[in-house]
Amino acid sequence: MPYTKRRRLVTTAVAVALGATALAACGSSDNSKTESGPVSLTYWTWTPGMDKVVDLWNKGPGKKDQITVTVKKQASGDTLVTKILTAHKAKKAPDLVQAEYQALPTLVSNDALADISKEVGDAKSKFADGVWQQTTLGTDAVYAVPQDIGPMMFYYRADLFKKYGLKVPTTWEQFAETARALKKKAPDKALTTFSANDSGLFAGLAQQAGAKWWTTSGDKWKVAIDDAATQKVAKFWGGLVKEGAIDNQAMYQPAWNKALDTGKEIAWVSAVWAPGTLTTAAPDTKGKWAMAPLPQWSETEHVTGSWGGSSTAVTTDSQHQAAAAKFAAWLNTDGDALNALAKEGGIYPASTSAQTSGAFSNPPAFFSNQADFYTKAAEIAKTTAPSAWGPNVNVAYATFNDAFGTAAKNKSDFAAALKTMQDATVADMKKQGFGVSQ
């Protein structure tokens, strides 16, 4: 992917106070409004080249249905969430918005997104269950149509693995053994790093382990960021950092780029968009990397986490929700639209049928040595675990950066950092007026 940073949730606090209503009671709207005559829709999105993709609609299906869509470019992350909530407060939100999956509960809790299940419900078969679930929030409603995803996988320097006689780990236990074996053979190198500057990576690893950080019961939320699954992940990575088996420096920094480019670090736990990052971070290593499924917690498991991705949602302020939903479904399920999104926007589509066709029939240029890159990626994507996001992901993520950042730097207790993350998230939700069960 050519633009990695937009896949990471910006962790500045959302300026607009979150609504205190329970998730189950929000997001309902009247989708029975009939459309007659020309309809003009506005779409807020950050995806590069989206105007060219929308042109296909305006000249094709949209023209036939007399539905015209206008793209309004926006920033991503919390900046856009804040803007949407501010506009919604004045009843002036656009018809359609691009929203990261982890932002959906915040928008739904503020009654900013319409339930479009009646219009797009039959699109469910186009997506992996774990991906579709992110737009339903575990309810019968559908608050968005999946657009792009970030299934996680394991990247490694094939040449250096061969040089040091290392096997590609299929379990996390083997991953730890591989890290230790490399340190013994080449003390100046590290298998990888634990980075505390990207909470999305940790969230995806916890998701793979079975974590469900936010769930609802009746009119209350349950926050379980320090559940057994996440504790297992935190203790695993904290143990490797403490013993010095892996590095503890932040990703996306010059030192990290150099470590990848020079072979000081020889692997990276990342997502499907990693080739784009490696292209700029480690340009001298082109053709030397390979991709494999994420290591598993047991040999019998086949599951991955998700790191990044977004959806197309219809707002409750839209006067043309049925028309907007029709466009959202077309954008993310039509073959021509998906090929254009891949070409113009550099996305990895959520639609399973698009993951091995069109723009994905050949491997990324950086991985030209792995002809089956996208075939393998599509198989991994099907195993995406369900997620469980809440209404204050920004607070949880910001606390992660602070608490785990300190723990990684000092090689101290990751479990204590996890408790800090849990406590801060619960305290913020109570402060915002949400009902929280213990």
Side-chain angles (χ1 to χ4, degrees):
M1 297 297 161
Y3 57 107
T4 305
K5 288 186 179 180
R6 76 100 165 158
R7 308 210 170 260
R8 294 181 277 124
L9 181 67
V10 181
T11 53
T12 50
V14 175
V16 179
L18 299 176
T21 48
L23 174 65
C26 299
S28 60
S29 60
D30 179 11
N31 285 340
S32 61
K33 300 168 185 173
T34 57
E35 311 291 352
S36 59
V39 172
S40 295
L41 306 174
T42 301
Y43 178 27
W44 285 3
T45 174
W46 65 80
T47 299
M50 183 60 82
D51 51 342
K52 294 180 181 178
V53 182
V54 170
D55 278 346
L56 296 178
W57 166 267
N58 289 334
K59 294 174 182 177
K63 186 175 182 180
K64 181 186 67 176
D65 295 334
Q66 293 187 296
I67 302 171
T68 302
V69 178
T70 300
V71 170
K72 296 289 185 182
K73 272 297 176 58
Q74 307 294 324
S76 61
D78 283 353
T79 302
L80 180 55
V81 173
T82 300
K83 188 172 182 179
I84 293 168
L85 293 179
T86 302
H88 173 61
K89 198 171 183 180
K91 303 299 181 186
K92 294 183 178 179
D95 300 279
L96 296 132
V97 294
Q98 182 176 357
E100 290 175 298
Y101 297 113
Q102 62 263 41
L104 291 176
T106 299
L107 296 172
V108 171
S109 293
N110 282 273
D111 201 27
L113 300 186
D115 174 6
I116 53 175
S117 56
K118 292 180 181 178
E119 288 78 21
V120 304
D122 60 351
K124 179 180 179 180
S125 62
K126 305 284 187 181
F127 307 94
D129 289 343
V131 173
W132 183 256
Q133 178 268 346
Q134 295 198 83
T135 65
T136 68
L137 310 187
T139 71
D140 292 331
V142 177
Y143 296 107
V145 181
Q147 181 166 299
D148 61 307
I149 56 173
M152 295 175 67
M153 44 202 68
F154 180 66
Y155 293 86
Y156 63 100
R157 283 283 300 273
D159 58 331
L160 296 182
F161 262 58
K162 183 177 181 180
K163 177 180 178 180
Y164 295 112
L166 304 175
K167 292 183 178 180
V168 179
T170 59
T171 66
W172 287 113
E173 183 180 356
Q174 291 174 9
F175 178 92
E177 292 170 354
T178 301
R180 296 177 186 121
L182 176 64
K183 272 294 175 187
K184 286 184 179 180
K185 296 179 179 181
D188 62 325
K189 297 185 183 297
L191 180 64
T192 191
T193 187
F194 177 86
S195 174
N197 71 334
D198 199 321
S199 40
L201 171 57
F202 183 74
L205 290 170
Q207 180 186 343
Q208 185 213 19
K212 292 195 170 36
W213 285 358
W214 287 270
T215 53
T216 57
S217 178
D219 61 352
K220 290 189 176 182
W221 286 89
K222 181 179 180 182
V223 182
I225 291 174
D226 63 347
D227 64 3
T230 311
Q231 287 181 17
K232 179 170 64 175
V233 174
K235 290 175 182 177
F236 175 81
W237 288 92
L240 290 177
V241 168
K242 189 172 184 178
E243 70 176 87
I246 61 172
D247 204 347
N248 61 344
Q249 65 174 317
M251 297 180 294
Y252 316 116
Q253 306 300 317
W256 180 73
N257 292 346
K258 185 177 181 181
L260 291 179
D261 203 33
T262 60
K264 189 174 181 181
E265 285 185 18
I266 69 169
W268 184 27
V269 175
S270 189
V272 71
W273 41 258
T277 299
L278 293 171
T279 299
T280 54
D284 294 337
T285 64
K286 181 178 180 181
K288 297 179 180 179
W289 291 81
M291 178 269 284
L294 210 59
Q296 303 292 308
W297 286 104
S298 74
E299 287 281 10
T300 58
E301 290 181 325
H302 296 285
V303 63
T304 194
S306 183
W307 184 4
S310 64
S311 63
T312 309
V314 176
T315 71
T316 50
D317 291 344
S318 175
Q319 296 301 304
H320 308 287
Q321 291 174 18
K326 185 180 290 188
F327 168 77
W330 171 86
L331 179 66
N332 300 303
T333 61
D334 179 81
D336 291 338
L338 290 166
N339 281 333
L341 275 172
K343 179 183 177 183
E344 304 295 343
I347 73 158
Y348 184 73
S351 168
T352 54
S353 64
Q355 291 166 4
T356 53
S357 63
F360 303 99
S361 54
N362 294 311
F366 205 79
F367 282 73
S368 57
N369 58 306
Q370 190 169 359
D372 66 346
F373 182 95
Y374 283 123
T375 301
K376 186 173 289 187
E379 289 301 313
I380 293 171
K382 291 176 184 176
T383 69
T384 302
S387 66
W389 302 114
N392 63 340
V393 173
N394 61 306
V395 172
Y397 275 19
T399 307
F400 168 86
N401 289 355
D402 293 338
F404 277 82
T406 300
K409 182 180 179 181
N410 299 335
K411 297 186 177 182
S412 58
D413 189 6
F414 276 28
L418 188 63
K419 186 176 187 306
T420 299
M421 191 176 168
Q422 164 80 13
D423 292 346
T425 304
V426 170
D428 176 75
M429 289 186 71
K430 289 181 177 179
K431 180 181 177 181
Q432 297 293 349
F434 287 98
V436 181
S437 63
Q438 298 301 324

